[in-house]
């Protein structure tokens, strides 16, 4: 299976996939050379997502997981139209889980500017319950901080407090962490919001959707075998290896470098 993100955030989705499907093979691609996607125009992110998904399809994967909320917001339907293999994104499972979880029908969203601008969460939440008050907040500083040398430092806590403030003031009881990077600093969100607010992440639900898609289509590997993993980045392989091992808590032996031009050629 192919899994991609702009950086290390999609590893949160990969982790849940490894737990759910240890017998499957995975190729993970982080587009570090072009990170962050959040501030870019949606049309540009759509182009990147199409290049990467085509590249992964050429590698022979049987399903592609778009493990980036910004890229899912920008491009999921286009990828599904374009590829021959199934494509699973990360937004729908979270919107569904949030509508089920809220009791006061006030849901907040923390995400990148691109994800907020695309408005897909609002559409999906309102398709399920048109009476929900939906409050999106764009968090431009979080992804660069999570990808930095000090992801758990005071700057990150300050930024989370600032972005959470309008949601706390509005009394939301459910917050969608609508960016695959955010679970990497989950304890910070939990401390800032406290116990009474339900935090919704996509990784687990997305892994379930992937597993069900494989089962229904009869694409599963033999459950007795052990899966193999490949890690690719358009950026610096050593930096990705170090950060990937820290966040995934799995030793990553080899990281292969892929030129952005190779993606564009796919
Ligand atoms: N991990 C991505 C997301 O889920 C994007 C982060 C970024 O590149 O801005 O939105």
């Amino acid at each position: 299976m192919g899994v991609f993100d702009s950086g290390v955030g999609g590893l949160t989705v990969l982790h849940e996939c490894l737990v759910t499907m240890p017998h499957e093979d995975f190729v993970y691609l982080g587009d570090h050379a072009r990170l962050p996607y959040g501030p870019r125009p949606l049309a540009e992110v759509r182009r990147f997502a199409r290049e990467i998904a085509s590249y992964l399809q050429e590698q022979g994967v049987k399903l592609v997981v778009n493990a980036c909320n910004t890229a899912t917001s920008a491009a999921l339907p286009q990828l599904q139209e374009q590829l021959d293999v199934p494509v699973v994104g990360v937004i729908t499972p979270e919107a569904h889980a949030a509508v089920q979880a809220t009791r006061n029908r006030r849901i907040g969203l923390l995400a990148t500017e691109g994800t907020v601008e695309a408005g897909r969460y609002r559409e999906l939440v309102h398709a399920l319950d048109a009476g929900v008050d939906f409050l999106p907040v764009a968090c431009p500083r979080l992804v660069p901080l999570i990808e930095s040398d000090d992801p758990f430092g005071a700057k990150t806590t300050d930024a989370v407090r600032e972005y959470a403030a309008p949601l706390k003031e509005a009394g939301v009881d459910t917050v969608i962490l609508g960016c695959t990077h955010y679970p990497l600093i989950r304890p910070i969100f939990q401390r800032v919001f406290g116990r009474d607010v339900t935090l919704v992440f996509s990784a687990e639900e997305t892994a379930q959707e992937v597993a069900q898609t494989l089962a229904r289509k009869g694409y599963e590997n033999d459950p007795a075998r052990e899966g193999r993993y490949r890690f690719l980045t358009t950026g610096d392989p050593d930096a990705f290896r170090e950060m990937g091992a820290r966040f995934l808590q799995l030793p990553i032996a080899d990281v292969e470098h892929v030129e952005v031009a190779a993606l564009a050629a796919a």
Side-chain angles (χ1 to χ4, degrees), residues 83-168:
L83 296 200
D84 299 324
V85 297
V87 187
V88 173
V90 283
I91 289 186
T92 314
E94 277 173 322
H96 202 251
V99 171
Q100 286 180 338
T102 184
R103 294 168 304 280
N104 70 8
R105 296 167 88 204
R106 266 181 237 148
I107 297 177
L109 168 71
L110 297 178
T112 66
E113 302 102 299
T115 297
V116 168
E117 188 199 323
R120 293 283 296 145
Y121 275 107
R122 182 188 293 280
E123 281 167 28
L124 288 165
V125 164
H126 283 158
L128 294 166
D129 182 353
V132 163
D133 280 335
F134 183 78
L135 285 105
V137 175
C139 311
R141 301 210 305 282
L142 286 187
V143 168
L145 283 167
I146 294 168
E147 293 267 351
S148 76
D149 294 341
D150 189 19
F152 311 115
K155 280 191 187 154
T156 310
T157 306
D158 289 349
V160 170
R161 280 210 191 98
E162 183 190 315
Y163 295 134
L167 300 185
K168 292 176 85 170

Side-chain angles (χ1 to χ4, degrees), residues 5-7 9-10 35-39 67-71 90 112 115 143 178-181:
D5 179 39
S6 54
L35 174 111
Y37 283 3
C68 173
N69 298 66
T70 311
V90 283
T112 66
T115 297
V143 168
C179 174
T180 44
H181 279 68

Side-chain angles (χ1 to χ4, degrees), residues 17 26 28 48-49 65 68 100 104 106 124 140 164-165 173 206 224 228 231-232 238 258-259:
C17 287
F26 289 89
Y28 181 93
F48 295 170
V65 185
C68 173
Q100 286 180 338
N104 70 8
R106 266 181 237 148
L124 288 165
D173 71 354
T206 305
R228 288 187 302 266
F231 293 90
L232 315 176
D238 290 334
V258 180
E259 292 294 338

